Amino acid sequence: DLGLNPATEAEFRRIFDPCYIRRPLDLDVKMLPIQYRFVEMEGKQRAVYKQIETGSIAKVDDRFLVAAGPLVLNTRLQQLAQAAPVLDDEGSVVEFTLPSCKYDVLCDVLDEMGGEPLVVFSESRKLINLCARELTTGRSPRFTPEQVGLIHGGIPPEERHRWKEEFQAGSLPVILCTFGAGSESITLTRSRTMLVLNRSTRFDYNNQAEGRLLRFGQTDDVQIIEAITLDSEELRVHDAYSRKDDRHQQ
């Protein structure tokens, strides 16, 4: 670190200082222990999962989903632990549909919160899109499309900013985010509760996402609720990470 050039320091300070501030995070609120919700697959979601798990191939409507090799199988199993898949002609998963145990737990949490604002995070854009679609225009819509914010890589930056501002202003009861697009540089302190539908494979994304709520402006203790699918690869991965965290803390 060579410091600032004296000849241009005044210009730098004039531009930089009004926009940025760095200070230790010292809040009167705290992060509560994570609350785990263990959910079960049902119907088509469970049937497709079990086919892939036992034979590395599953029939989905009139198409076939194939897992060629252990790594692809692991990916497929973690995908299918979220929702039933929709395939294209080449057998690729293009979107999710119901039934979805993750969408079910989202509805349960919304019911329990009684209108309090909720932040939802997921690694999967497909799952976020499914939740947004079902909440607004699905079989039993709860909100209008204008009441559900979306922050993911397919949303233009200016629209993401608008959703964030409207959520903070109190116009939205729920905002749905992917870790890749929503875990940095936004403030979501209007909510004190975050529902994690499935964690990111990147440890730093998970920590940064929690920091969207636990930051300056937050006035309540923050509760993280994590949904984990029983009898699935997702549960096995969760258990492995938990044991790893325990060893690090020791």
Side-chain angles (χ1 to χ4, degrees):
D1 185 356
L2 302 179
L4 297 175
N5 185 339
T8 57
E9 181 175 358
E11 179 184 13
F12 175 84
R13 295 295 184 193
R14 186 174 66 253
I15 297 171
F16 186 87
D17 287 354
C19 302
Y20 295 90
I21 184 170
R22 295 182 63 87
R23 54 185 173 180
L25 184 62
D26 183 16
L27 304 177
D28 293 330
V29 299
K30 61 181 181 295
M31 185 76 72
L32 299 174
I34 294 177
Q35 182 184 122
Y36 294 105
R37 298 290 182 93
F38 295 96
V39 298
E40 295 188 77
M41 297 176 282
E42 296 180 352
K44 180 181 179 181
Q45 182 190 3
R46 181 175 179 82
V48 174
Y49 185 96
K50 288 301 181 183
Q51 289 181 57
I52 283 285
E53 185 180 42
T54 56
S56 297
I57 186 170
K59 187 174 183 180
V60 182
D61 300 323
D62 58 344
R63 299 183 173 111
F64 289 92
L65 181 64
V66 178
L71 291 178
V72 178
L73 177 61
N74 180 276
T75 300
R76 290 289 187 228
L77 290 174
Q78 294 199 58
Q79 274 187 320
L80 297 174
Q82 302 168 39
V86 176
L87 307 185
D88 62 14
D89 292 337
E90 284 72 40
S92 299
V93 179
V94 292
E95 63 178 348
F96 286 148
T97 187
L98 297 182
S100 167
C101 57
K102 297 304 180 85
Y103 178 70
D104 291 342
V105 76
L106 169 58
C107 292
D108 291 342
V109 171
L110 286 169
D111 290 340
E112 294 166 10
M113 294 186 65
E116 285 190 34
L118 177 66
V119 174
V120 181
F121 266 89
S122 171
E123 176 86 334
S124 169
R125 187 194 303 184
K126 295 182 180 68
L127 182 58
I128 289 296
N129 284 334
L130 166 66
C131 292
R133 185 172 68 247
E134 290 298 323
L135 286 175
T136 57
T137 60
R139 301 174 190 180
S140 301
R142 292 166 171 259
F143 308 110
T144 67
E146 293 74 24
Q147 291 178 300
V148 177
L150 271 176
I151 296 181
H152 62 59
I155 304 296
E158 60 274 12
E159 190 171 343
R160 294 184 226 169
H161 179 74
R162 176 175 65 83
W163 285 128
K164 186 267 292 184
E165 292 295 312
E166 290 186 7
F167 181 80
Q168 284 292 93
S171 303
L172 309 178
V174 61
I175 189 166
L176 309 170
C177 313
T178 59
F179 283 101
S183 62
E184 294 181 331
S185 303
I186 62 172
T187 296
L188 301 173
T189 51
R190 177 170 161 258
S191 176
R192 61 187 178 93
T193 307
M194 176 191 295
L195 172 61
V196 179
L197 294 177
N198 62 312
R199 287 212 164 245
S200 173
T201 55
R202 292 184 52 171
F203 182 79
D204 57 331
Y205 275 10
N206 296 314
N207 283 346
Q208 289 167 355
E210 294 172 359
R212 301 313 94 208
L213 276 65
L214 191 67
R215 60 195 294 110
F216 293 106
Q218 182 58 261
T219 58
D220 297 297
D221 293 341
V222 173
Q223 178 68 68
I224 306 296
I225 303 172
E226 183 174 354
I228 302 171
T229 304
L230 290 169
D231 192 24
S232 74
E233 184 66 21
E234 181 179 79
L235 177 59
R236 290 186 282 274
V237 170
H238 166 77
D239 289 344
Y241 273 114
S242 296
R243 291 192 296 270
K244 184 177 181 181
D245 286 343
D246 289 342
R247 289 196 298 269
H248 284 168
Q249 291 174 9
Q250 292 171 3

